[in-house]
Amino acid sequence: MIDNTKMIERADALKDLTKEDRKMLKRYGDKLGGRVCGVLRHHPEDIGVAMDLQAWVGAAELIEKFNAAYSDRKYYLSLPVLLEMVRADEKQRYGLKWEGDTLMIRCRQGHSIPGLEMDYRVEAPPEILYHGTIDTFLPSILKDGLKPMKRQKVHMSRDIPTARRAAGRRRQMGQPVILKVDAGRMAADGAVFYLADNDVWLADHVATEYIDIFQ
């Protein structure tokens, strides 16, 4: 996994995180993170932020335009708040980099924006990968396989707990189900796998013949 620690240290902004910032993050952090991910993964046009072909945006521009677009909300961005979100995110959804003196941020995967050319690494996968879903989706998965749907790629993990957490995020829509993907056989049959910076495995499609219901 590519660590954001050095990028955050170079910004030297977490020392300016206030008690009010921490209270806001504790109360509204999930809503704030969901909104930021919505912009970075799906709708940068909602706030008018400029995004390059690898989904990077300038952190300062994101902060300014996000706050202008959502000034009526009880959550907000500042550089300390944004970096604390990145640091504390359990799923490590965000990537950081510096371009000269400009701090850039993106979501590492999960995009639905047409025309992006994400720089995922092509890698040989583990023999088995896992995908978390819900029973509501099982009939279509067992018929057509795993498809990206609104995302660019199908997401998989190398471990069951991560897949279980992914399934749990949709618990209100159905019962969690963990699928086992025979990634080794898929790769031997010519499928290409990609690895995102936060160790999420990606593929364009997983046919039903490579899928078993784990639980």
Side-chain angles (χ1 to χ4, degrees):
M1 180 182 293
I2 295 180
D3 193 352
N4 288 312
T5 301
K6 291 183 178 179
M7 308 296 175
I8 293 174
E9 288 176 352
R10 178 175 167 183
D12 193 29
L14 285 183
K15 67 181 188 302
D16 298 320
L17 192 72
T18 67
K19 290 182 180 179
E20 289 73 20
D21 293 336
R22 293 186 185 278
K23 286 172 62 177
M24 184 277 294
L25 285 169
K26 184 176 181 179
R27 186 168 184 181
Y28 299 109
D30 288 345
K31 291 182 179 179
L32 176 61
R35 185 72 67 177
V36 171
C37 277
V39 168
L40 295 179
R41 285 175 168 172
H42 310 298
H43 298 293
E45 74 279 2
D46 280 358
I47 65 171
V49 68
M51 178 178 286
D52 70 14
L53 290 178
Q54 285 79 48
W56 292 103
V57 306
E61 182 185 4
L62 173 67
I63 291 166
E64 177 185 357
K65 293 187 174 179
F66 184 94
N67 289 335
Y70 301 114
S71 59
D72 60 332
R73 307 303 168 96
K74 295 183 179 180
Y75 47 75
Y76 56 85
L77 287 180
S78 64
L79 186 55
V81 166
L82 183 63
L83 294 182
E84 176 62 12
M85 281 177 52
V86 172
R87 185 200 67 78
D89 187 64
E90 292 183 353
K91 293 176 278 188
Q92 291 296 295
R93 292 173 291 184
Y94 307 102
L96 297 173
K97 72 172 182 177
W98 287 90
E99 289 189 353
D101 293 329
T102 301
L103 179 63
M104 309 293 289
I105 185 170
R106 71 175 178 181
C107 278
R108 285 168 157 162
Q109 79 282 319
H111 304 84
S112 63
I113 303 164
L116 290 183
E117 299 174 5
M118 299 297 291
D119 51 350
Y120 300 131
R121 307 193 308 276
V122 176
E123 297 276 356
E127 286 298 312
I128 300 297
L129 290 170
Y130 300 93
H131 177 86
T133 186
I134 53 175
D135 57 359
T136 309
F137 299 151
L138 270 182
S140 62
I141 291 172
L142 296 178
K143 177 183 177 183
D144 300 320
L146 286 168
K147 297 181 177 181
M149 306 307 288
K150 295 181 179 180
R151 295 175 168 180
Q152 289 188 324
K153 306 286 183 187
V154 175
H155 292 198
M156 292 164 284
S157 61
R158 66 172 71 242
D159 63 272
I160 296 168
T162 301
R164 185 173 288 118
R165 286 194 295 272
R169 289 196 292 272
R170 294 175 172 173
R171 187 180 298 273
Q172 72 277 10
M173 300 170 60
Q175 291 300 310
V177 176
I178 307 301
L179 302 178
K180 185 169 70 173
V181 176
D182 192 343
R185 185 158 63 91
M186 269 186 69
D189 290 344
V192 177
F193 284 82
Y194 307 87
L195 184 59
D197 292 343
N198 57 345
D199 292 339
V200 173
W201 286 89
L202 309 163
D204 294 317
H205 174 252
V206 180
T208 55
E209 63 190 279
Y210 304 109
I211 298 171
D212 286 316
I213 299 175
F214 178 75
Q215 65 178 60

